[in-house]
Amino acid sequence: MVNRILDPEFCQLPCRVLMDKTVPTVDIYQNLIEVVNDVRDNYHGDIIAIDDGNPIGSFNMFDVLKWLAESDLPREEIKVEDMICTPVITVNTDNTIEEAFDIMAKFNINSLAVTEKGQLKGYITDKGVKEWMSMYPHYLRYVQASRQSKCSELIEELFGSGSPSIK
């Protein structure tokens, strides 16, 4: 049986190479109205709440809607710090892509904040990696199934049974 796997060279790239540097962030002291106005045109999924540049937690628009529906507070009084429901799971800029995939699999998540010395520098998502792979398919190789790795498992999950063409 033959499977697609990622070239080992790709798996060892540091996260700083593939991270998206335009991180959707908001300050924990912003109110709900400011947040909705800030992110409505550039919404990426999870929004990272920061305090003095440090990632504190994350939330998404579903969480905002939940707060709107369930809170007795006036909308103007709801702050980001009230809506944070998930701690930020991070990876360092020097961690490898394979290490990032392992962390995503461990916590069953599809994105990670990328930090350097505690400061938020970017984020990496499985969707972003899939897009990157479609631009650089030479990193995919066909090998015997016995050599399948965690990186290849993620690519199999991302691409499914379909395969990008390798020419």
Side-chain angles (χ1 to χ4, degrees):
M1 180 177 176
V2 176
N3 285 318
R4 290 181 315 276
I5 69 164
L6 285 174
D7 187 294
E9 176 186 349
F10 176 82
C11 291
Q12 297 309 308
L13 289 172
C15 287
R16 79 167 59 83
V17 173
L18 290 181
M19 73 180 185
D20 186 338
K21 294 177 182 157
T22 56
V23 185
T25 61
V26 294
D27 188 272
I28 64 169
Y29 302 109
Q30 281 184 277
N31 71 38
L32 178 64
I33 304 302
E34 292 171 334
V35 169
V36 171
N37 287 332
D38 285 351
V39 300
R40 71 175 170 210
D41 295 327
N42 298 312
Y43 180 60
H44 295 281
D46 287 338
I47 302 161
I48 298 175
I50 58 171
D51 185 15
D52 196 28
N54 297 310
I56 305 298
S58 67
F59 64 97
N60 58 40
M61 291 309 274
F62 178 78
D63 299 320
V64 171
L65 292 173
K66 181 179 173 186
W67 269 97
L68 281 173
E70 296 176 0
S71 179
D72 293 332
L73 292 172
R75 292 182 304 180
E76 297 79 18
E77 292 181 25
I78 300 172
K79 303 285 185 204
V80 169
E81 64 185 337
D82 299 325
M83 291 186 292
I84 295 172
C85 62
T86 308
V88 176
I89 299 173
T90 65
V91 65
N92 190 284
T93 55
D94 292 327
N95 286 107
T96 66
I97 298 300
E98 185 166 29
E99 291 168 331
F101 290 162
D102 289 344
I103 293 168
M104 284 189 231
K106 178 181 178 181
F107 291 101
N108 194 28
I109 56 176
N110 59 11
S111 64
L112 289 170
V114 181
T115 60
E116 186 172 74
K117 297 179 183 172
Q119 294 290 302
L120 186 62
K121 296 296 181 183
Y123 74 109
I124 190 166
T125 67
D126 55 2
K127 182 180 176 184
V129 171
K130 182 177 179 180
E131 289 171 3
W132 197 89
M133 292 303 302
S134 68
M135 292 186 296
Y136 301 98
H138 64 279
Y139 277 116
L140 287 174
R141 301 287 184 255
Y142 288 93
V143 296
Q144 295 301 317
S146 62
R147 293 181 55 204
Q148 193 168 6
S149 69
K150 293 212 183 277
C151 280
S152 64
E153 291 169 12
L154 179 68
I155 291 303
E156 187 67 33
E157 182 180 315
L158 290 173
F159 287 107
S161 59
S163 171
S165 61
I166 300 176
K167 299 180 179 178

